[in-house]
Amino acid sequence: MINLKATVCSIFLLILSTHGYGQNYSLGESLNPSKSDFELIGISSKTGVSAYRYKRHVSARFYGRQLGDIIVGVKDGHIAQTIYLMIPENSDIGVPKEILNLIQAVLPFPLSYVNGRYVVNIDNYSISLSRTNNAITFNKDRIMYMSSIKQSILER
């Protein structure tokens, strides 16, 4: 059994690894989205999480890819979800192995491939990666990195 210290350390490393990529938001961090920086795009009827799209231009790279959009989910003034939408390169097929390897290197458990997504659940958090083109990605082809507090906790 992996101890709590190793799990917390791994989550910290994952958050730290995203910090160097420009605009960064971390689960649990306080956030009061301003109208100048964020656009409200919806509120979940199940969880009460408000989803905001970062409005300013994002010029940063995230795991080697240009970021297209950032979405943060906020509940009770704290970040409950982050979605980073990476613009795929012309040669990318699905989620590139190089991105998977970088993320896997800081996780205590292996990513699982389930229904077209790479996922891992660690304690009360979940992380998923997928190649997506739907309403969440504003109908653009994107590599989506999503981290979230588990829905069962958000529904409380």
Side-chain angles (χ1 to χ4, degrees):
M1 183 166 123
I2 294 182
N3 65 32
L4 181 61
K5 185 177 179 182
T7 302
V8 171
C9 183
S10 296
I11 292 170
F12 175 74
L13 286 173
L14 186 63
I15 291 168
L16 184 64
S17 69
T18 64
H19 185 69
Y21 296 100
Q23 196 64 42
N24 179 61
Y25 299 97
S26 300
L27 296 178
E29 179 179 286
S30 293
L31 182 68
N32 184 12
S34 67
K35 289 188 177 195
S36 63
D37 290 335
F38 294 94
E39 169 190 7
L40 178 66
I41 56 175
I43 301 172
S44 170
S45 60
K46 285 187 175 184
T47 63
V49 172
S50 300
Y52 294 90
R53 181 181 192 181
Y54 186 68
K55 290 183 355 181
R56 297 185 186 267
H57 175 72
V58 181
S59 61
R61 295 183 70 80
F62 188 78
Y63 291 110
R65 298 298 182 276
Q66 178 65 43
L67 276 174
D69 287 290
I70 300 171
I71 301 168
V72 293
V74 179
K75 183 172 182 175
D76 300 328
H78 292 87
I79 296 174
Q81 182 177 60
T82 62
I83 301 174
Y84 293 91
L85 301 174
M86 296 171 265
I87 300 170
E89 295 178 353
N90 291 336
S91 60
D92 288 344
I93 298 172
V95 178
K97 188 85 168 151
E98 65 189 80
I99 294 173
L100 293 171
N101 290 341
L102 288 169
I103 292 170
Q104 185 63 70
V106 297
L107 294 174
F109 303 109
L111 289 163
S112 299
Y113 187 74
V114 179
N115 297 326
R117 298 180 310 142
Y118 294 91
V119 298
V120 66
N121 292 310
I122 303 170
D123 296 329
N124 294 321
Y125 303 95
S126 63
I127 297 166
S128 71
L129 291 130
S130 61
R131 183 76 175 259
T132 307
N133 185 346
N134 60 25
I136 293 173
T137 64
F138 308 102
N139 297 311
K140 296 177 184 172
D141 179 24
R142 295 292 185 253
I143 301 166
M144 182 171 68
Y145 171 96
M146 179 170 54
S147 64
S148 178
I149 295 172
K150 286 188 179 178
Q151 184 166 339
S152 61
I153 293 171
L154 295 173
E155 289 177 352
R156 294 182 190 167

